[in-house]
Amino acid sequence: MTVSSAPGKVYLFGEHAVVYGEPAVPCAVERRATVSVTARDDDHVRVRAEDLSLNGFTVEYRGSTGDHPDVDVPAPLVEAAMGYIDAAVAQARDAADAPDAGFDITVESDIPLGAGLGSSAAVVVAGIDAATRELGVELSPREIAERAYRAEHEVQDGQASRADTFCSAMGGAVRVEGDDCRTIDAPPLPFVIGFDGGAGDTGALVAGVRSLREEYDFAADTVSTIGDIVRRGETLLAEADPDADEPPEELLSELGRFMNFNHGLLEALGVSSRSLDSMVWAAREAGSYGAKLTGAGGGGCIVALDPTPETQTGLQFTPGCEDAFRAELATEGVRLEE
Ligand code: PMV
């Protein structure tokens, strides 16, 4: 058996604008998906998923999602999760030149699903790593990122950006601009995440921004202003000491101000929601340096910067917030667990 894990991520800056060629800075966080893979003698793939907010399910199939009559969770959720696992299996078979390889796969994850934390990317990245290693092939994190991107691209009908998969495979803070993905230095940023228990519809939210941007120059300007914020934000990170035990207060305060600005522009583009806005405001009122939604929006998670426990406590008492937790920057991306 081979077990690999990979982290989820938050967007420090730049979601949505990244779709139009602006840069974005996602950061990996210490919430992981763990995938255990055992090679089988036949070409079947058997998947067991736990803790995926799906009540767990078990599916056996021969390499295409098909029907899953035995599962007692909503079919669309199973189909979505199985689509990603399917695509990861296809990439592993291709990388190992083993088209008939079969696997028993167990997926565990403490990353809320579809909530802007890159849960599917983490499952795909860890799955490709574990399945290829199980077949005796060791890919570099960059190769895994590339294959995971292809897998997500296929499942999401060409809508995926490289941000989630690259960040999950490499760990730390990354910068993504079109096809150009690189890791960047960042001090240990004190992220706090608030989760409203829901999820946004990424496709619909991306389409909404696209049509606003096509219709109004000021919406197009809003998207490019997000790019300006990202460029200023990454300059701040580049000037910081990556080996500092704690980021200096001036850095947190300026990053927080930029996060607030970025959230305001996302709100103007129509991708926030009442619960995301109330968590953002609760985080600000609790004394965080700044807060914004993370990911596609519409529902899901916000991210705030606060080294103290105040923001987490404040969020826990905020109506609409189902869970609040600290999530340190994950310096390690995909890794072998056992
Ligand atoms: O919700 P997430 O974590 O999948 O992020 C979506 C980010 C978008 O910029 C809205 C879309 C994308 O593919 O980059």
Side-chain angles (χ1 to χ4, degrees):
M1 181 170 76
T2 308
V3 184
S4 298
S5 77
K9 63 101 209 5
V10 293
Y11 272 94
L12 186 58
F13 307 115
E15 56 274 87
H16 284 287
V18 72
V19 174
Y20 309 99
E22 299 291 349
V25 177
C27 296
V29 293
E30 270 312 336
R31 283 256 156 168
R32 290 187 166 258
T34 303
V35 181
S36 312
V37 178
T38 307
R40 290 172 62 109
D41 296 337
D42 56 22
D43 63 354
H44 290 214
V45 176
R46 185 168 185 278
V47 181
R48 206 158 64 86
E50 291 169 2
D51 305 333
L52 284 179
S53 326
L54 295 178
N55 305 321
F57 63 84
T58 302
V59 183
E60 183 163 344
Y61 68 112
R62 295 179 73 102
S64 81
T65 45
D67 293 327
H68 308 307
D70 302 339
V71 289
D72 60 357
V73 288
L77 283 179
V78 175
E79 289 299 337
M82 289 306 300
Y84 288 107
I85 293 165
D86 240 359
V89 164
Q91 287 297 327
R93 284 172 168 161
D94 182 62
D97 204 10
D100 298 324
F103 304 101
D104 285 331
I105 300 177
T106 301
V107 183
E108 290 164 272
S109 174
D110 57 8
I111 310 167
L113 267 192
L117 298 185
S119 56
S120 59
V123 168
V124 170
V125 164
I128 293 175
D129 188 56
T132 46
R133 284 177 187 274
E134 183 69 5
L135 297 174
V137 173
E138 198 173 318
L139 302 177
S140 70
R142 269 191 187 269
E143 287 169 319
I144 292 171
E146 176 59 34
R147 286 191 174 274
Y149 165 67
R150 282 190 230 155
E152 282 223 323
H153 196 264
E154 189 184 301
V155 180
Q156 296 173 10
D157 278 337
Q159 291 272 358
S161 79
R162 291 176 179 274
D164 287 22
T165 40
F166 184 75
C167 188
S168 182
M170 306 302 289
V174 307
R175 177 193 200 274
V176 176
E177 184 172 0
D179 289 345
D180 177 21
C181 303
R182 38 186 93 175
T183 54
I184 57 176
D185 284 335
L189 296 169
F191 293 123
V192 181
I193 291 170
F195 176 39
D196 69 4
D201 178 341
T202 303
L205 291 155
V206 170
V209 173
R210 186 180 300 279
S211 64
L212 272 181
R213 188 174 165 272
E214 278 162 10
E215 190 163 0
Y216 303 111
D217 287 348
F218 53 79
D221 291 345
T222 303
V223 169
S224 46
T225 304
I226 292 177
D228 294 338
I229 294 175
V230 180
R231 281 179 282 272
R232 288 293 292 267
E234 63 179 324
T235 308
L236 286 178
L237 288 176
E239 288 165 0
D241 174 5
D243 300 321
D245 289 341
E246 284 175 25
E249 177 153 6
E250 315 81 77
L251 172 68
L252 292 178
S253 147
E254 208 158 5
L255 286 174
R257 187 180 305 148
F258 291 1
M259 289 167 74
N260 287 338
F261 218 117
N262 194 161
H263 181 78
L265 298 179
L266 289 167
E267 209 280 317
L269 290 171
V271 299
S272 192
S273 70
R274 185 182 286 262
S275 57
L276 293 173
D277 283 344
S278 48
M279 290 191 291
V280 161
W281 276 103
R284 291 172 184 164
E285 281 165 6
S288 69
Y289 287 102
K292 61 183 277 297
L293 67 84
T294 171
C301 291
I302 64 124
V303 56
L305 280 186
D306 187 0
T308 77
E310 301 295 324
T311 296
Q312 188 182 356
T313 311
L315 283 169
Q316 274 157 353
F317 289 102
T318 302
C321 177
E322 196 173 286
D323 194 10
F325 49 90
R326 300 203 69 82
E328 302 304 326
L329 185 72
T331 48
E332 265 189 292
V334 62
R335 71 176 181 225
L336 182 64
E337 296 288 344
E338 59 186 72

PDB file of all heavy atoms in Angstrom, residues 9 11 14-19 114-120 152 156 159-164 202 205-206 294-297, ligand 1:
ATOM      1  N   LYS A   9      -5.656  24.779  -0.179  1.00  0.00           N
ATOM      2  CA  LYS A   9      -5.066  26.113  -0.339  1.00  0.00           C
ATOM      3  C   LYS A   9      -6.100  27.213  -0.081  1.00  0.00           C
ATOM      4  O   LYS A   9      -7.311  26.972  -0.099  1.00  0.00           O
ATOM      5  CB  LYS A   9      -4.476  26.277  -1.747  1.00  0.00           C
ATOM      6  CG  LYS A   9      -5.523  26.182  -2.871  1.00  0.00           C
ATOM      7  CD  LYS A   9      -5.926  27.515  -3.389  1.00  0.00           C
ATOM      8  CE  LYS A   9      -7.291  27.700  -3.944  1.00  0.00           C
ATOM      9  NZ  LYS A   9      -8.359  26.853  -4.007  1.00  0.00           N
ATOM     10  N   TYR A  11      -6.680  31.402  -1.419  1.00  0.00           N
ATOM     11  CA  TYR A  11      -6.155  32.463  -2.278  1.00  0.00           C
ATOM     12  C   TYR A  11      -5.839  33.663  -1.397  1.00  0.00           C
ATOM     13  O   TYR A  11      -6.756  34.248  -0.824  1.00  0.00           O
ATOM     14  CB  TYR A  11      -7.203  32.896  -3.302  1.00  0.00           C
ATOM     15  CG  TYR A  11      -7.201  32.105  -4.580  1.00  0.00           C
ATOM     16  CD1 TYR A  11      -8.043  31.015  -4.738  1.00  0.00           C
ATOM     17  CD2 TYR A  11      -6.363  32.446  -5.631  1.00  0.00           C
ATOM     18  CE1 TYR A  11      -8.057  30.283  -5.926  1.00  0.00           C
ATOM     19  CE2 TYR A  11      -6.371  31.732  -6.823  1.00  0.00           C
ATOM     20  CZ  TYR A  11      -7.218  30.656  -6.959  1.00  0.00           C
ATOM     21  OH  TYR A  11      -7.224  29.944  -8.133  1.00  0.00           O
ATOM     22  N   GLY A  14      -6.307  37.181  -5.824  1.00  0.00           N
ATOM     23  CA  GLY A  14      -6.320  37.007  -7.271  1.00  0.00           C
ATOM     24  C   GLY A  14      -7.282  36.019  -7.902  1.00  0.00           C
ATOM     25  O   GLY A  14      -7.257  35.871  -9.121  1.00  0.00           O
ATOM     26  N   GLU A  15      -8.151  35.327  -7.122  1.00  0.00           N
ATOM     27  CA  GLU A  15      -9.094  34.422  -7.786  1.00  0.00           C
ATOM     28  C   GLU A  15      -9.984  35.211  -8.745  1.00  0.00           C
ATOM     29  O   GLU A  15     -10.148  36.424  -8.607  1.00  0.00           O
ATOM     30  CB  GLU A  15      -9.954  33.622  -6.787  1.00  0.00           C
ATOM     31  CG  GLU A  15     -10.742  34.426  -5.784  1.00  0.00           C
ATOM     32  CD  GLU A  15      -9.909  34.745  -4.569  1.00  0.00           C
ATOM     33  OE1 GLU A  15      -9.203  35.780  -4.620  1.00  0.00           O
ATOM     34  OE2 GLU A  15      -9.982  34.027  -3.564  1.00  0.00           O
ATOM     35  N   HIS A  16     -10.564  34.538  -9.682  1.00  0.00           N
ATOM     36  CA  HIS A  16     -11.371  35.108 -10.780  1.00  0.00           C
ATOM     37  C   HIS A  16     -10.523  35.909 -11.771  1.00  0.00           C
ATOM     38  O   HIS A  16     -10.555  35.620 -12.963  1.00  0.00           O
ATOM     39  CB  HIS A  16     -12.563  35.941 -10.268  1.00  0.00           C
ATOM     40  CG  HIS A  16     -13.681  35.071  -9.768  1.00  0.00           C
ATOM     41  ND1 HIS A  16     -14.496  34.357 -10.626  1.00  0.00           N
ATOM     42  CD2 HIS A  16     -14.075  34.747  -8.511  1.00  0.00           C
ATOM     43  CE1 HIS A  16     -15.362  33.650  -9.910  1.00  0.00           C
ATOM     44  NE2 HIS A  16     -15.121  33.861  -8.621  1.00  0.00           N
ATOM     45  N   ALA A  17      -9.733  36.891 -11.275  1.00  0.00           N
ATOM     46  CA  ALA A  17      -8.915  37.663 -12.218  1.00  0.00           C
ATOM     47  C   ALA A  17      -7.909  36.742 -12.920  1.00  0.00           C
ATOM     48  O   ALA A  17      -7.545  36.974 -14.076  1.00  0.00           O
ATOM     49  CB  ALA A  17      -8.197  38.788 -11.481  1.00  0.00           C
ATOM     50  N   VAL A  18      -7.499  35.666 -12.221  1.00  0.00           N
ATOM     51  CA  VAL A  18      -6.519  34.733 -12.789  1.00  0.00           C
ATOM     52  C   VAL A  18      -7.052  34.078 -14.066  1.00  0.00           C
ATOM     53  O   VAL A  18      -6.288  33.715 -14.958  1.00  0.00           O
ATOM     54  CB  VAL A  18      -6.112  33.671 -11.718  1.00  0.00           C
ATOM     55  CG1 VAL A  18      -7.221  32.679 -11.445  1.00  0.00           C
ATOM     56  CG2 VAL A  18      -4.827  32.946 -12.111  1.00  0.00           C
ATOM     57  N   VAL A  19      -8.370  33.982 -14.166  1.00  0.00           N
ATOM     58  CA  VAL A  19      -8.985  33.373 -15.352  1.00  0.00           C
ATOM     59  C   VAL A  19      -8.696  34.218 -16.599  1.00  0.00           C
ATOM     60  O   VAL A  19      -8.665  33.711 -17.717  1.00  0.00           O
ATOM     61  CB  VAL A  19     -10.515  33.218 -15.122  1.00  0.00           C
ATOM     62  CG1 VAL A  19     -11.231  32.733 -16.374  1.00  0.00           C
ATOM     63  CG2 VAL A  19     -10.796  32.290 -13.939  1.00  0.00           C
ATOM     64  N   GLY A 114     -15.563  21.695  -2.146  1.00  0.00           N
ATOM     65  CA  GLY A 114     -16.140  22.739  -3.011  1.00  0.00           C
ATOM     66  C   GLY A 114     -16.265  24.089  -2.341  1.00  0.00           C
ATOM     67  O   GLY A 114     -17.103  24.898  -2.710  1.00  0.00           O
ATOM     68  N   ALA A 115     -15.433  24.344  -1.336  1.00  0.00           N
ATOM     69  CA  ALA A 115     -15.625  25.546  -0.532  1.00  0.00           C
ATOM     70  C   ALA A 115     -14.513  26.568  -0.742  1.00  0.00           C
ATOM     71  O   ALA A 115     -14.316  27.452   0.064  1.00  0.00           O
ATOM     72  CB  ALA A 115     -15.719  25.155   0.944  1.00  0.00           C
ATOM     73  N   GLY A 116     -13.754  26.417  -1.829  1.00  0.00           N
ATOM     74  CA  GLY A 116     -12.697  27.396  -2.117  1.00  0.00           C
ATOM     75  C   GLY A 116     -11.362  27.026  -1.512  1.00  0.00           C
ATOM     76  O   GLY A 116     -10.421  27.818  -1.535  1.00  0.00           O
ATOM     77  N   LEU A 117     -11.253  25.799  -0.971  1.00  0.00           N
ATOM     78  CA  LEU A 117      -9.983  25.391  -0.352  1.00  0.00           C
ATOM     79  C   LEU A 117      -9.231  24.354  -1.187  1.00  0.00           C
ATOM     80  O   LEU A 117      -8.270  23.747  -0.709  1.00  0.00           O
ATOM     81  CB  LEU A 117     -10.219  24.842   1.064  1.00  0.00           C
ATOM     82  CG  LEU A 117     -10.807  25.818   2.079  1.00  0.00           C
ATOM     83  CD1 LEU A 117     -10.867  25.174   3.463  1.00  0.00           C
ATOM     84  CD2 LEU A 117      -9.979  27.100   2.158  1.00  0.00           C
ATOM     85  N   GLY A 118      -9.662  24.148  -2.425  1.00  0.00           N
ATOM     86  CA  GLY A 118      -8.893  23.265  -3.304  1.00  0.00           C
ATOM     87  C   GLY A 118      -8.964  21.796  -2.926  1.00  0.00           C
ATOM     88  O   GLY A 118      -7.978  21.059  -3.078  1.00  0.00           O
ATOM     89  N   SER A 119     -10.135  21.349  -2.452  1.00  0.00           N
ATOM     90  CA  SER A 119     -10.263  19.951  -2.011  1.00  0.00           C
ATOM     91  C   SER A 119     -10.049  18.971  -3.165  1.00  0.00           C
ATOM     92  O   SER A 119      -9.328  17.977  -3.017  1.00  0.00           O
ATOM     93  CB  SER A 119     -11.636  19.721  -1.387  1.00  0.00           C
ATOM     94  OG  SER A 119     -12.644  20.098  -2.310  1.00  0.00           O
ATOM     95  N   SER A 120     -10.637  19.253  -4.329  1.00  0.00           N
ATOM     96  CA  SER A 120     -10.518  18.286  -5.422  1.00  0.00           C
ATOM     97  C   SER A 120      -9.080  18.219  -5.916  1.00  0.00           C
ATOM     98  O   SER A 120      -8.553  17.137  -6.201  1.00  0.00           O
ATOM     99  CB  SER A 120     -11.479  18.635  -6.561  1.00  0.00           C
ATOM    100  OG  SER A 120     -11.206  19.916  -7.049  1.00  0.00           O
ATOM    101  N   GLU A 152      -7.875  17.760 -13.758  1.00  0.00           N
ATOM    102  CA  GLU A 152      -8.921  18.726 -13.387  1.00  0.00           C
ATOM    103  C   GLU A 152      -9.521  19.391 -14.624  1.00  0.00           C
ATOM    104  O   GLU A 152     -10.718  19.650 -14.694  1.00  0.00           O
ATOM    105  CB  GLU A 152      -8.345  19.806 -12.463  1.00  0.00           C
ATOM    106  CG  GLU A 152      -8.176  19.331 -11.046  1.00  0.00           C
ATOM    107  CD  GLU A 152      -8.620  20.375 -10.031  1.00  0.00           C
ATOM    108  OE1 GLU A 152      -8.405  21.584 -10.252  1.00  0.00           O
ATOM    109  OE2 GLU A 152      -9.203  19.970  -9.015  1.00  0.00           O
ATOM    110  N   GLN A 156     -13.391  19.388 -15.339  1.00  0.00           N
ATOM    111  CA  GLN A 156     -14.099  20.679 -15.277  1.00  0.00           C
ATOM    112  C   GLN A 156     -14.325  21.274 -16.668  1.00  0.00           C
ATOM    113  O   GLN A 156     -14.464  22.494 -16.800  1.00  0.00           O
ATOM    114  CB  GLN A 156     -13.302  21.665 -14.401  1.00  0.00           C
ATOM    115  CG  GLN A 156     -13.217  21.202 -12.956  1.00  0.00           C
ATOM    116  CD  GLN A 156     -12.297  22.071 -12.104  1.00  0.00           C
ATOM    117  OE1 GLN A 156     -11.854  23.119 -12.532  1.00  0.00           O
ATOM    118  NE2 GLN A 156     -12.001  21.622 -10.903  1.00  0.00           N
ATOM    119  N   GLN A 159     -12.322  24.360 -17.721  1.00  0.00           N
ATOM    120  CA  GLN A 159     -12.473  25.595 -16.925  1.00  0.00           C
ATOM    121  C   GLN A 159     -11.365  25.777 -15.881  1.00  0.00           C
ATOM    122  O   GLN A 159     -11.252  26.840 -15.291  1.00  0.00           O
ATOM    123  CB  GLN A 159     -13.802  25.560 -16.155  1.00  0.00           C
ATOM    124  CG  GLN A 159     -15.032  25.671 -16.999  1.00  0.00           C
ATOM    125  CD  GLN A 159     -15.433  27.111 -17.219  1.00  0.00           C
ATOM    126  OE1 GLN A 159     -14.799  28.029 -16.713  1.00  0.00           O
ATOM    127  NE2 GLN A 159     -16.460  27.324 -18.003  1.00  0.00           N
ATOM    128  N   ALA A 160     -10.576  24.730 -15.619  1.00  0.00           N
ATOM    129  CA  ALA A 160      -9.658  24.796 -14.472  1.00  0.00           C
ATOM    130  C   ALA A 160      -8.467  25.703 -14.760  1.00  0.00           C
ATOM    131  O   ALA A 160      -7.933  25.716 -15.860  1.00  0.00           O
ATOM    132  CB  ALA A 160      -9.153  23.399 -14.150  1.00  0.00           C
ATOM    133  N   SER A 161      -8.044  26.476 -13.742  1.00  0.00           N
ATOM    134  CA  SER A 161      -6.755  27.155 -13.860  1.00  0.00           C
ATOM    135  C   SER A 161      -5.728  26.237 -13.190  1.00  0.00           C
ATOM    136  O   SER A 161      -6.073  25.256 -12.536  1.00  0.00           O
ATOM    137  CB  SER A 161      -6.792  28.521 -13.177  1.00  0.00           C
ATOM    138  OG  SER A 161      -6.663  28.378 -11.786  1.00  0.00           O
ATOM    139  N   ARG A 162      -4.462  26.579 -13.349  1.00  0.00           N
ATOM    140  CA  ARG A 162      -3.409  25.729 -12.792  1.00  0.00           C
ATOM    141  C   ARG A 162      -3.186  25.983 -11.306  1.00  0.00           C
ATOM    142  O   ARG A 162      -2.386  25.304 -10.667  1.00  0.00           O
ATOM    143  CB  ARG A 162      -2.093  25.992 -13.530  1.00  0.00           C
ATOM    144  CG  ARG A 162      -2.113  25.491 -14.959  1.00  0.00           C
ATOM    145  CD  ARG A 162      -0.841  25.844 -15.693  1.00  0.00           C
ATOM    146  NE  ARG A 162      -0.893  25.315 -17.043  1.00  0.00           N
ATOM    147  CZ  ARG A 162      -0.519  24.081 -17.380  1.00  0.00           C
ATOM    148  NH1 ARG A 162      -0.027  23.271 -16.463  1.00  0.00           N
ATOM    149  NH2 ARG A 162      -0.625  23.658 -18.613  1.00  0.00           N
ATOM    150  N   ALA A 163      -3.877  26.982 -10.747  1.00  0.00           N
ATOM    151  CA  ALA A 163      -3.545  27.454  -9.407  1.00  0.00           C
ATOM    152  C   ALA A 163      -3.667  26.370  -8.336  1.00  0.00           C
ATOM    153  O   ALA A 163      -2.715  26.115  -7.587  1.00  0.00           O
ATOM    154  CB  ALA A 163      -4.435  28.644  -9.060  1.00  0.00           C
ATOM    155  N   ASP A 164      -4.813  25.710  -8.259  1.00  0.00           N
ATOM    156  CA  ASP A 164      -5.058  24.769  -7.158  1.00  0.00           C
ATOM    157  C   ASP A 164      -4.105  23.584  -7.201  1.00  0.00           C
ATOM    158  O   ASP A 164      -3.542  23.183  -6.178  1.00  0.00           O
ATOM    159  CB  ASP A 164      -6.482  24.195  -7.237  1.00  0.00           C
ATOM    160  CG  ASP A 164      -7.537  25.207  -6.853  1.00  0.00           C
ATOM    161  OD1 ASP A 164      -7.245  26.416  -6.935  1.00  0.00           O
ATOM    162  OD2 ASP A 164      -8.642  24.793  -6.490  1.00  0.00           O
ATOM    163  N   THR A 202     -18.852  26.993  -9.011  1.00  0.00           N
ATOM    164  CA  THR A 202     -17.719  27.677  -9.643  1.00  0.00           C
ATOM    165  C   THR A 202     -18.027  28.063 -11.090  1.00  0.00           C
ATOM    166  O   THR A 202     -17.771  29.200 -11.503  1.00  0.00           O
ATOM    167  CB  THR A 202     -16.465  26.775  -9.591  1.00  0.00           C
ATOM    168  OG1 THR A 202     -16.211  26.457  -8.224  1.00  0.00           O
ATOM    169  CG2 THR A 202     -15.235  27.477 -10.160  1.00  0.00           C
ATOM    170  N   LEU A 205     -20.359  31.016 -11.281  1.00  0.00           N
ATOM    171  CA  LEU A 205     -19.728  32.246 -10.776  1.00  0.00           C
ATOM    172  C   LEU A 205     -18.710  32.784 -11.783  1.00  0.00           C
ATOM    173  O   LEU A 205     -18.651  33.989 -12.044  1.00  0.00           O
ATOM    174  CB  LEU A 205     -19.061  31.967  -9.416  1.00  0.00           C
ATOM    175  CG  LEU A 205     -20.073  31.696  -8.292  1.00  0.00           C
ATOM    176  CD1 LEU A 205     -19.450  30.845  -7.186  1.00  0.00           C
ATOM    177  CD2 LEU A 205     -20.590  33.010  -7.711  1.00  0.00           C
ATOM    178  N   VAL A 206     -17.928  31.881 -12.373  1.00  0.00           N
ATOM    179  CA  VAL A 206     -16.953  32.306 -13.388  1.00  0.00           C
ATOM    180  C   VAL A 206     -17.707  32.895 -14.591  1.00  0.00           C
ATOM    181  O   VAL A 206     -17.338  33.947 -15.125  1.00  0.00           O
ATOM    182  CB  VAL A 206     -16.033  31.131 -13.806  1.00  0.00           C
ATOM    183  CG1 VAL A 206     -15.192  31.490 -15.031  1.00  0.00           C
ATOM    184  CG2 VAL A 206     -15.108  30.731 -12.650  1.00  0.00           C
ATOM    185  N   THR A 294     -12.326  33.250  -0.297  1.00  0.00           N
ATOM    186  CA  THR A 294     -11.282  32.527  -1.019  1.00  0.00           C
ATOM    187  C   THR A 294     -11.916  31.563  -2.015  1.00  0.00           C
ATOM    188  O   THR A 294     -12.891  30.882  -1.683  1.00  0.00           O
ATOM    189  CB  THR A 294     -10.330  31.771  -0.068  1.00  0.00           C
ATOM    190  OG1 THR A 294      -9.462  30.922  -0.856  1.00  0.00           O
ATOM    191  CG2 THR A 294     -11.055  30.905   0.953  1.00  0.00           C
ATOM    192  N   GLY A 295     -11.396  31.555  -3.233  1.00  0.00           N
ATOM    193  CA  GLY A 295     -11.915  30.647  -4.261  1.00  0.00           C
ATOM    194  C   GLY A 295     -13.021  31.299  -5.062  1.00  0.00           C
ATOM    195  O   GLY A 295     -13.116  32.519  -5.156  1.00  0.00           O
ATOM    196  N   ALA A 296     -13.875  30.461  -5.601  1.00  0.00           N
ATOM    197  CA  ALA A 296     -14.897  30.970  -6.521  1.00  0.00           C
ATOM    198  C   ALA A 296     -15.926  31.864  -5.834  1.00  0.00           C
ATOM    199  O   ALA A 296     -16.523  32.739  -6.454  1.00  0.00           O
ATOM    200  CB  ALA A 296     -15.592  29.795  -7.202  1.00  0.00           C
ATOM    201  N   GLY A 297     -16.187  31.653  -4.535  1.00  0.00           N
ATOM    202  CA  GLY A 297     -17.161  32.468  -3.803  1.00  0.00           C
ATOM    203  C   GLY A 297     -18.560  31.873  -3.872  1.00  0.00           C
ATOM    204  O   GLY A 297     -18.718  30.668  -4.063  1.00  0.00           O
TER     205      GLY A 297
HETATM  206  O1  PMV B   1     -13.152  27.609  -5.711  1.00  0.00           O
HETATM  207  P1  PMV B   1     -11.816  27.182  -6.182  1.00  0.00           P
HETATM  208  O2  PMV B   1     -10.837  26.958  -5.083  1.00  0.00           O
HETATM  209  O3  PMV B   1     -11.855  26.065  -7.170  1.00  0.00           O
HETATM  210  O4  PMV B   1     -11.208  28.426  -6.972  1.00  0.00           O
HETATM  211  C1  PMV B   1     -11.786  28.929  -8.141  1.00  0.00           C
HETATM  212  C2  PMV B   1     -10.912  30.039  -8.604  1.00  0.00           C
HETATM  213  C3  PMV B   1     -11.358  30.745  -9.849  1.00  0.00           C
HETATM  214  O5  PMV B   1     -10.368  31.738 -10.114  1.00  0.00           O
HETATM  215  C4  PMV B   1     -12.686  31.446  -9.643  1.00  0.00           C
HETATM  216  C5  PMV B   1     -11.486  29.818 -11.042  1.00  0.00           C
HETATM  217  C6  PMV B   1     -10.170  29.245 -11.486  1.00  0.00           C
HETATM  218  O6  PMV B   1     -10.205  28.161 -12.103  1.00  0.00           O
HETATM  219  O7  PMV B   1      -9.120  29.867 -11.296  1.00  0.00           O
END
